[in-house]
Amino acid sequence: MTLNDAHCHFLSSPFYEALGREKYGADGHTTAERAIEELGWEAPGTAEALAARWIAELDRSHVSRVGLIASVPGDEESVAAAVGRYPTRFVGFFALNAAAADAEDRARRAFAELGLRCICLFPAMHRYRLDDERVARLFEIAAAHGGAIFAHCGYLSIEARAKLGLRSTVDVRFGDPLALAATAASFPTVPVIVPHFGGGFFREALMAAESCPNILFDTSSSNNWIRFVPGLTLTEVFRRALAIAGANRLLFGTDSSFFPRGWRRVIHGAQQTILHELGVESDVSEKIFSGNFERIFGGAS
Ligand SMILES: [Zn+2]
């Protein structure tokens, strides 16, 4: 069975520069280096070098294709360079602040010129509602270019920011799956990915998926939001998501990000075990680990 991972972060040099600027005030490479050193992570080098690092890592774990996220707004070029070099392996996703004045121009350019395929929204971080007009305009642009939307809902913690002690600007109330459903319903051709089963707004995410057939969940990360719900297990989350959204609307993901940790095998292993426990048929597993990603993102662009 081929294996596709719908959720990996491309932590490029511009990503660390943005963090370093925020933490140390100055700009340029020295601040990126300081941030990387403080994190104890591996320096990414150029986008091409980081892309090659990823490919070697994915080959080792027999991962075929990944949704690769430019994880800070304005970093579309880094992921575009990675996709340009390995078009059969990477599908380009990009973080975009829907409240920024240049959001629409950036979205158009990313789809039309850079060959990226999915806008990633973090409404809790950038503080806008998912039923805002500005979000609807990004959906329109995605629809016109055959693109997808990823909308982070629920609890949000960014590992690099937390480790560097950067102030959290997150207001979780903006990450409401029901507000997302209100917009997604008007754009039935746009695949809408809600990562981590709604990140704690699980009930709302299920209701959103029930009302919008174009909403999918990604299964990524350790899903430790389940600790907010007494007694809930990840096995039960999968059982319920399969019952309501169905096998065609779950996308396997790991939320892998930095090196040397690399691709998170343990997430894959844990989710395989859960699906085995649930006794799902092999065609269900095939859809989750591979087929649904292929349906949405087609062959290589
Ligand atoms: Zn993530």
Side-chain angles (χ1 to χ4, degrees), residues 105-120:
D105 289 342
R106 281 196 171 278
R108 270 187 216 99
R109 174 159 184 269
F111 285 131
E113 292 171 35
L114 301 177
L116 306 189
R117 309 282 299 274
C118 183
I119 296 172
C120 297

Side-chain angles (χ1 to χ4, degrees), residues 92-238:
F93 289 30
F94 57 104
L96 187 68
N97 177 0
D102 63 352
E104 290 180 47
D105 289 342
R106 281 196 171 278
R108 270 187 216 99
R109 174 159 184 269
F111 285 131
E113 292 171 35
L114 301 177
L116 306 189
R117 309 282 299 274
C118 183
I119 296 172
C120 297
L121 302 175
F122 295 87
M125 186 161 41
H126 298 127
R127 293 166 177 259
Y128 54 81
R129 292 172 54 98
L130 285 165
D131 54 2
D132 190 297
E133 249 317 293
R134 293 169 296 185
V135 174
R137 283 199 289 275
L138 296 180
F139 269 75
E140 258 169 46
I141 293 167
H145 293 88
I149 301 267
F150 161 117
H152 190 287
C153 296
Y155 179 72
L156 174 64
S157 161
I158 295 164
E159 204 168 354
R161 295 186 61 88
K163 267 193 103 173
L164 289 174
L166 290 171
R167 196 172 65 84
S168 169
T169 55
V170 168
D171 184 336
V172 173
R173 293 173 297 178
F174 287 108
D176 178 0
L178 295 175
L180 175 66
T183 305
S186 304
F187 300 92
T189 63
V190 177
V192 180
I193 301 167
V194 175
H196 327 302
F197 301 98
F201 289 153
F202 186 43
R203 183 186 65 163
E204 290 78 3
L206 291 172
M207 289 160 72
E210 173 90 0
S211 62
C212 290
N214 51 327
I215 288 183
L216 302 96
F217 299 139
D218 95 20
T219 68
S220 74
S221 85
S222 54
N223 283 292
N224 70 3
W225 60 264
I226 64 174
R227 73 193 192 279
F228 300 129
V229 186
L232 189 62
T233 63
L234 193 53
T235 303
E236 187 54 33
V237 169
F238 268 88

Side-chain angles (χ1 to χ4, degrees), residues 2-18:
T2 56
L3 181 57
N4 296 322
D5 182 342
H7 190 144
C8 290
H9 291 273
F10 196 66
L11 302 188
S12 63
S13 291
F15 171 82
Y16 291 106
E17 278 160 29

Side-chain angles (χ1 to χ4, degrees), residues 51-62:
R53 181 80 168 93
W54 265 105
I55 290 296
E57 177 74 1
L58 297 173
D59 285 349
R60 232 151 46 87
S61 294
H62 310 288

Side-chain angles (χ1 to χ4, degrees), residues 61-111:
S61 294
H62 310 288
V63 181
S64 177
R65 302 176 70 203
V66 307
L68 197 61
I69 306 171
S71 302
V72 64
D75 194 28
E76 299 92 331
E77 306 272 354
S78 296
V79 156
V83 172
R85 186 153 296 197
Y86 303 101
T88 63
R89 307 296 295 279
F90 295 138
V91 175
F93 289 30
F94 57 104
L96 187 68
N97 177 0
D102 63 352
E104 290 180 47
D105 289 342
R106 281 196 171 278
R108 270 187 216 99
R109 174 159 184 269
F111 285 131

